[in-house]
Amino acid sequence: MEFALSEDQRMLQDSLKGVLGDAASLDRMRKIAADDVGEGSALDEALAGFGLSALPVPESAGGLGLGALDACLVQEALGYNVAPSRFLATAVAARVFAGKPEILGGLASGDVKFALAVTELFSRRDGAGVELKGGKLSGKSLLAQSVDGATHLLVADAAGTLHSVEAAAAGVTVMRTIDRTRSFHEVTLDGATPLASATPDAETMAFARLLVAADTLGAAQAMIDKAVAYAKERQQFGRVIGSFQAVKHMCAEMAAKLEPSRALIWHAAHALDIGDSEGPFMANLAKAHLAEVGTFVARTSTEVHGGMGFTDLVGLHYWYKRIGVNRQLLGSPEQARQTAAQLQGLVV
Amino acid sequence: MKLTLDPEYEAFRAEVAETLAKNVHLAPTADDKGYKNPKRIAWQKFLIENGLAARTIPKEYGGYGAEPDILKARIIAEEFARTRIPGPMAGQGISMFVPTLLELGTEAQKQAYIRPTIQGEMIWCQGYSEPGAGSDLAALRTSAVEDGDHYVINGSKIWTSTAKQADMIFCLVRTDPAAKKHEGITYITFPMSTPGIEVRPLVDMTGTANFNEVFFTDVRVPKSGVIFAPNKGWQVANATLTHERGMLGDPNATKARLVELIALMQAETMNGERLIDNPLLRDRLMKLQAEVYAMQANGLRITTSRLQGQPAGLAGLVVKLQGCDLNHEIARLAIDALGDLGILYEEGEHLRANGSWQWRYMYDLGLIIGGGTAQIQKNIIAERGLEMPREPKLAKA
């Protein structure tokens, strides 16, 4: 029995941390949030250079064939640096089109870049929704991710089938969210032709949610690290604030909630990797749980920083917003818990 | 990442399961109550002979004498939890005093105490906490004054479980009042039948006396009962406290409670609707299930760290805080799900599960406080896990 990361996984983590340390500095994130396109491209290039798009693609199609746990480690590192990336869309597309080598090859080489337009699988608002009629897709999807620079969209129709369509076939409008480091779009299709279609299984959707949870894990870990470091440095009433029990207890509570959550993500990812029947519901539990723990950490870490935590000077709000957006992405915590209950047959 | 066990261990699990299944008729039942119950003692001896209790205690002291093996210990615990067959005895004598004695006792002390203790024939209580000390354990004041080959003890202890039934006590006393707080303490053992000891049951909010107060008036005890050395009791006690904190926060037990809660919510109806079909209650259940799985996975991480001889770090430090709180929350949801019937406690037609959810809801609050309050645990997590500074000592006025 060994419930720990392998040497390879630790190396993957460390090398990606190294890349992101340089390529996803807070300074660059500020510029990206201010719509500096050049800075976004520079980050994309660094991540492409690392080979991020090939990681989740099977070896038979020219990828590295890494599993769900590896993907979680990648997403955690991205969350730690609040780095925008199309890794989530790539990883989901690689699973959805697992049987289609022509798509996988393009994903691995980076020639095919997917955006993810699946919000309506979980929540249809304001008349949004894409219908498949006579072999053509029409309608709109809100809060599509990674649309900038995408060659293709991965679009969900009203029946829950996912389709690949050319990005050029979609009309796009920017949607401004609280998180300015990542871009979200409203996409409109008017008779677009699906290039490939597949209906995702429970594992695929659970995997997508688990990646969002891993992203929150990374962002929350960063917020704890920042709070602890600040509390050891900042002086008030003649001593560092980290020596006050009130402050120490806030930091301890954050760590006590997040540390077991890390193990939960590993466990759920590993269960998905080995095809354990508990994998999908554990992944849904993880999505909901990290949303709650992340929200607690986001709030508490900001409070540990006092008034400075509220300002743009420290930049803590990028992580706060990352966690806040992740909470709603691909289904709210309540929806993920409902899915978890359904997957284990507690409710029909 | 590998959660399966090697064939050697799977074979061991099968062996344990077979031993338990074949001999379940020897196990005590709910009717076999009380300490030193012959059936319970016989079962304990059977478990020791078969390597299912006192497994790593040397044969010369009455144990099974196996090499320590974390995975085998884990498998045994899991098999008892899975089959719900009564497991080994786990009093403070067995879980705390015996490990301490093995580490720091004299040969004569080991010979005298270990065998009867692990067999359940010698019951111990722990004399640590005092009314005025609480979490500041080293502030204890019970005094032991030298008188030839004896000490004369005066003072009192509190939160002493099993004091009424105990044959012996392992106790912290102040032997050097002039020394610094942590340096004048001695760890001493003596019979509870010694003249001058009075035990008063302390009824708690569960309505039962789970604890006692113990009063010492001129209690004369031989110096041969000192463990390790006079005035070195703080080091000895710290060796035992590590064992105590490890006991609180067993993921197997918490998972078993959650499974019971799920069964309750599937079986019970209110206004003709199953409780599990109530979206609000189900949502709370799923929240707790996520925490239980997180706790279980965290436990797997800790086991792996131990197997690799690495410190478990934060993963280990958070167990008591998370585990105790989670158990309390599980009981709270069970009571909320039962609604107005959830307030019943004493026996009666409408009471569910013998009132065990209500008992746990109350008793678990005691566990959150005991073994170091939640606030003390948070200090430990912050100071040892996050390397945050200690609170500066107040300047002397």
Side-chain angles (χ1 to χ4, degrees):
Chain A
M1 201 220 64
E2 187 188 77
F3 186 74
L5 299 181
S6 67
E7 193 57 38
D8 283 351
Q9 285 164 336
R10 278 198 294 268
M11 275 170 56
L12 169 69
Q13 228 179 7
D14 289 345
S15 51
L16 184 54
K17 268 184 196 163
V19 170
L20 287 166
D22 296 333
S25 63
L26 178 56
D27 186 42
R28 174 165 280 164
M29 288 311 125
R30 278 187 205 284
K31 290 177 181 159
I32 289 174
D35 295 331
D36 187 328
V37 177
E39 294 292 325
S41 309
L43 172 61
D44 283 346
E45 274 165 35
L47 292 178
F50 185 78
L52 213 55
S53 59
L55 293 180
V57 177
E59 284 175 272
S60 58
L64 287 168
L66 299 186
L69 180 55
D70 308 296
C72 283
L73 298 176
V74 169
Q75 196 67 53
E76 180 189 343
L78 293 166
Y80 192 90
N81 285 75
V82 288
S85 155
R86 67 175 67 257
F87 180 72
L88 170 69
T90 306
V92 172
R95 289 216 163 203
V96 170
F97 296 125
K100 297 186 163 42
E102 66 283 5
I103 297 180
L104 295 177
L107 272 177
S109 65
D111 294 337
V112 172
K113 296 189 173 77
F114 270 98
L116 195 58
V118 297
T119 303
E120 286 68 33
L121 282 178
F122 314 105
S123 144
R124 294 180 66 157
R125 312 278 172 114
D126 289 358
V130 173
E131 305 280 342
L132 180 69
K133 269 185 197 156
K136 303 278 184 185
L137 292 162
S138 295
K140 60 184 176 182
S141 179
L142 308 184
L143 293 160
Q145 304 175 46
S146 305
V147 170
D148 280 334
T151 60
H152 293 73
L153 300 183
L154 186 61
V155 187
D157 70 19
T161 300
L162 298 180
H163 308 274
S164 162
V165 298
E166 280 186 21
V172 299
T173 318
V174 172
M175 291 182 81
R176 293 279 189 219
T177 72
I178 55 170
D179 178 1
R180 293 289 303 274
T181 60
R182 289 181 285 184
S183 65
F184 293 87
H185 290 80
E186 177 174 344
V187 301
T188 309
L189 297 172
D190 186 10
T193 309
L195 305 172
S197 305
T199 303
D201 50 19
E203 281 80 6
T204 301
M205 296 326 289
F207 169 69
R209 282 181 166 171
L210 186 61
L211 282 182
V212 177
D215 194 85
T216 294
L217 172 70
Q221 185 63 58
M223 289 196 89
I224 294 180
D225 291 351
K226 287 171 196 296
V228 170
Y230 186 79
K232 286 180 189 174
E233 213 172 74
R234 168 75 172 160
Q235 301 231 358
Q236 289 270 271
F237 306 104
R239 54 179 162 124
V240 292
I241 62 169
S243 67
F244 290 109
Q245 280 204 5
V247 174
K248 247 192 292 204
H249 286 188
M250 286 201 279
C251 293
E253 283 165 12
M254 289 193 277
K257 284 181 192 289
L258 195 68
E259 206 52 37
S261 311
R262 176 185 309 283
L264 176 62
I265 290 199
W266 289 3
H267 199 184
H270 178 66
L272 286 176
D273 278 336
I274 63 169
D276 185 327
S277 62
E278 287 196 324
F281 89 71
M282 275 167 54
N284 275 280
L285 287 179
K287 161 71 166 103
H289 188 60
L290 267 296
E292 307 292 4
V293 171
T295 303
F296 172 77
V297 169
R299 179 205 154 144
T300 308
S301 168
T302 306
E303 284 185 36
V304 167
H305 283 79
M308 292 308 291
F310 188 61
T311 67
D312 186 51
L313 288 171
V314 177
L316 201 64
H317 64 95
Y318 291 110
W319 283 265
Y320 187 96
K321 292 166 181 173
R322 179 89 167 199
I323 290 168
V325 166
N326 284 349
R327 183 179 170 96
Q328 310 304 338
L329 282 186
L330 308 187
S332 68
E334 290 76 14
Q335 287 176 308
R337 288 193 285 267
Q338 176 72 356
T339 309
Q342 284 163 342
L343 286 171
Q344 55 189 307
L346 292 177
V347 60
V348 274
Chain B
M1 196 68 76
K2 176 169 151 294
L3 294 182
T4 50
L5 294 170
D6 291 339
E8 177 204 347
Y9 286 103
E10 286 303 346
F12 179 75
R13 184 189 296 279
E15 205 180 293
V16 172
E18 196 192 336
T19 306
L20 289 182
K22 270 191 185 162
N23 297 283
V24 61
H25 61 281
L26 300 174
T29 65
D31 295 331
D32 301 306
K33 287 188 171 65
Y35 292 91
K36 302 192 192 172
N37 175 296
K39 195 143 183 205
R40 292 174 72 170
I41 288 177
W43 179 240
Q44 177 74 1
K45 285 182 180 167
F46 170 84
L47 294 180
I48 295 173
E49 279 157 22
N50 288 275
L52 300 174
R55 189 174 163 81
T56 56
I57 290 172
K59 271 200 158 78
E60 70 243 53
Y61 306 130
Y64 180 72
E67 287 296 311
D69 185 320
I70 293 160
L71 287 181
K72 286 187 176 171
R74 194 185 147 100
I75 288 168
I76 293 170
E78 282 172 352
E79 286 307 301
F80 278 113
R82 185 181 63 79
T83 58
R84 299 204 167 193
I85 294 173
M89 292 182 181
Q92 289 178 322
I94 292 173
S95 58
M96 295 174 68
F97 178 66
V98 168
T100 307
L101 203 55
L102 279 170
E103 204 178 318
L104 300 167
T106 63
E107 187 55 32
Q109 288 168 334
K110 292 178 193 175
Q111 289 290 352
Y113 297 138
I114 297 181
R115 184 185 301 268
T117 303
I118 60 177
Q119 292 186 343
E121 285 170 341
M122 182 179 278
I123 308 296
W124 290 80
C125 62
Q126 179 207 66
Y128 281 11
S129 299
E130 292 191 10
S135 290
D136 186 10
L137 184 56
L140 62 91
R141 286 194 306 218
T142 293
S143 69
V145 177
E146 283 188 70
D147 181 13
D149 291 343
H150 286 72
Y151 282 111
V152 177
I153 299 178
N154 280 284
S156 72
K157 296 285 173 182
I158 194 167
W159 314 121
T160 319
S161 24
T162 65
K164 264 265 178 267
Q165 299 83 6
D167 305 289
M168 297 287 295
I169 184 168
F170 55 96
C171 192
L172 293 176
V173 291
R174 187 159 299 285
T175 34
D176 183 356
K180 283 187 192 161
K181 197 167 147 187
H182 294 84
E183 290 168 10
I185 296 171
T186 297
Y187 189 109
I188 190 167
T189 63
F190 48 90
M192 286 298 282
S193 57
T194 313
I197 301 179
E198 188 199 346
V199 177
R200 285 186 214 155
L202 186 61
V203 175
D204 59 53
M205 70 157 87
T206 67
T208 45
N210 291 296
F211 304 99
N212 302 276
E213 292 178 282
V214 181
F215 298 88
F216 305 111
T217 312
D218 296 331
V219 178
R220 260 180 84 80
V221 303
K223 283 182 173 173
S224 58
V226 171
I227 306 296
F228 193 45
N231 299 323
K232 299 283 180 210
W234 189 248
Q235 291 94 303
V236 186
N238 265 321
T240 13
L241 275 177
T242 320
H243 295 291
E244 182 174 21
R245 288 193 183 126
M247 274 157 48
L248 302 166
D250 170 17
N252 288 324
T254 304
K255 197 166 182 187
R257 285 185 184 196
L258 184 86
V259 169
E260 273 179 64
L261 174 56
I262 293 173
L264 174 91
M265 288 177 63
Q266 286 176 313
E268 288 281 339
T269 61
M270 185 170 64
N271 300 331
E273 181 193 55
R274 290 192 314 161
L275 298 179
I276 195 94
D277 290 329
N278 178 305
L280 297 178
L281 293 173
R282 186 172 62 243
D283 191 59
R284 281 177 61 185
L285 179 68
M286 290 298 99
K287 273 188 187 173
L288 293 179
Q289 190 182 42
E291 297 217 25
V292 171
Y293 272 83
M295 179 183 182
Q296 190 187 19
N298 194 52
L300 293 170
R301 245 184 113 183
I302 296 169
T303 303
T304 298
S305 299
R306 288 196 185 131
L307 284 169
Q308 297 174 341
Q310 308 279 337
L314 264 178
L317 293 173
V318 304
V319 168
K320 199 249 171 189
L321 186 66
Q322 198 220 3
C324 287
D325 193 57
L326 185 51
N327 287 339
H328 191 246
E329 287 297 306
I330 290 172
R332 188 163 77 97
L333 175 55
I335 290 170
D336 281 351
L338 287 170
D340 42 12
L341 291 187
I343 65 177
L344 297 174
Y345 187 39
E346 304 292 325
E347 60 205 64
E349 192 190 342
H350 303 287
L351 181 67
R352 304 297 200 266
N354 277 321
S356 62
W357 291 112
Q358 292 78 2
W359 187 85
R360 286 167 180 178
Y361 179 63
M362 294 185 273
Y363 188 75
D364 285 349
L365 186 57
L367 293 185
I368 288 171
I369 298 163
T373 62
Q375 287 66 35
I376 295 283
Q377 299 303 324
K378 287 176 195 175
N379 283 350
I380 292 173
I381 293 166
E383 286 164 15
R384 295 187 206 160
L386 302 172
E387 293 168 0
M388 297 182 77
R390 296 179 70 86
E391 189 129 10
K393 295 262 181 280
L394 287 175
K396 289 249 161 67

